[in-house]
Amino acid sequence: MFASGYFYLNRHLERKDIELQQLREIEGLKYQLVIAEKDFLRAQINPHLLFNTLTFIRNAAKNNPENVAVAIVALTELMEYALEDSKSEFIPLAREITQMENLIKLNRLRFEHLLNLNYTKDIQNGSATILPIVLLTLVENMFKHGIMNDPAHPAIIEVISTDSEIRFTTSNLAKTTNKVAGLQSGLRNIKARLDHAYPKNYEFNYGMNGNYFQAQLKITGL
């Protein structure tokens, strides 16, 4: 009887060990899947940044050759940031803002300084960090899908950082021929990355308000 009991107990423990190992493997696969998804989403965003900024350089070279050097420096910094800093889980907010301003600079060259944009920032928390490329992509979408040189309809970019939260707002007159599918896909990618990074600590809303496309992002719990 003792021998039979030992045999069945040993078989039971072996099955539990196998089940535990399987659970560990499943959890490991889930973790790898999350990392792979992050890398995939990031890879989708970075090529858009590269292709669009190269277009800006081309336009500047054709219309204002004296500004090409300025554009190349801005592009170099943007690419270094997109290829290197974006590998980090989080980066300083100030670093993201600097590259966002480089993108604005490139577009001022593109629009021959006729860009109609009200840009404001209020950074009270110098140590704030953020998921890389997110703000930069939202600004890139403005230039790609919006009307940015209409004096009657200024675009707006506002970034605020306090001790407890980051708030980011964009608003721009929308093109009537927008490729909505491409825009929506990029915004869904941003939301997917935010879901991974800030599961319960962010709000992200976007859509049309009259003739304007607006986006609002708030990250809390810094």
Side-chain angles (χ1 to χ4, degrees):
M1 181 179 67
F2 283 116
S4 297
Y6 175 80
F7 173 78
Y8 285 111
L9 176 61
N10 191 51
R11 289 287 300 275
H12 175 74
L13 292 175
E14 287 178 353
R15 285 198 300 270
K16 289 298 182 183
D17 285 340
I18 292 172
E19 291 172 0
L20 180 60
Q21 181 63 31
Q22 289 174 337
L23 286 173
R24 287 173 176 170
E25 291 175 356
I26 291 172
E27 289 301 317
L29 289 173
K30 286 181 178 178
Y31 176 77
Q32 292 175 14
L33 179 62
V34 169
I35 296 300
E37 186 175 6
K38 287 181 180 179
D39 289 341
F40 174 71
L41 293 175
R42 187 178 292 129
Q44 281 187 302
I45 291 172
N46 286 342
H48 294 165
L49 181 63
L50 174 61
F51 298 148
N52 288 333
T53 49
L54 284 175
T55 299
F56 302 155
I57 291 285
R58 183 185 63 188
N59 290 338
K62 288 181 179 179
N63 302 318
N64 293 287
E66 68 277 7
N67 290 327
V68 170
V70 176
I72 289 174
V73 170
L75 175 62
T76 300
E77 292 183 4
L78 274 167
M79 289 301 97
E80 180 181 359
Y81 177 72
L83 296 174
E84 298 299 329
D85 290 38
S86 65
K87 295 177 183 178
S88 303
E89 185 70 14
F90 297 97
I91 48 90
L93 174 62
R95 178 73 171 144
E96 177 92 350
I97 290 174
T98 296
Q99 300 314 313
M100 186 177 71
E101 290 172 349
N102 269 333
L103 186 57
I104 293 172
K105 183 188 300 181
L106 284 169
N107 279 278
R108 290 197 188 280
L109 294 177
R110 176 189 175 196
F111 288 101
E112 299 181 353
H113 300 284
L114 297 177
L115 187 66
N116 195 35
L117 171 64
N118 295 331
Y119 167 54
T120 59
K121 63 179 177 179
D122 182 6
I123 308 303
Q124 301 172 24
N125 181 2
S127 61
T129 60
I130 194 170
L131 195 67
I133 306 294
V134 169
L135 304 188
L136 194 59
T137 303
L138 290 172
V139 172
E140 182 191 13
N141 281 340
M142 295 177 68
F143 293 115
K144 185 176 181 181
H145 299 283
I147 298 173
M148 306 293 290
N149 59 349
D150 186 340
H153 300 277
I156 295 171
I157 299 174
E158 182 182 71
V159 56
I160 298 172
S161 168
T162 68
D163 290 338
S164 59
E165 66 182 23
I166 295 171
R167 297 197 303 273
F168 184 75
T169 303
T170 66
S171 176
N172 60 271
L173 187 64
K175 294 178 181 177
T176 57
T177 57
N178 263 347
K179 295 180 180 180
V180 177
L183 175 61
Q184 294 293 329
S185 175
L187 293 169
R188 285 195 297 269
N189 285 347
I190 290 175
K191 188 177 186 307
R193 295 184 65 211
L194 292 168
D195 281 340
H196 285 309
Y198 314 101
K200 298 180 180 179
N201 294 323
Y202 86 95
E203 297 176 13
F204 181 42
N205 301 296
Y206 57 84
M208 293 297 297
N209 183 4
N211 295 325
Y212 290 85
F213 183 85
Q214 297 177 336
Q216 298 91 29
L217 172 63
K218 180 168 75 171
I219 300 171
T220 59
L222 301 181

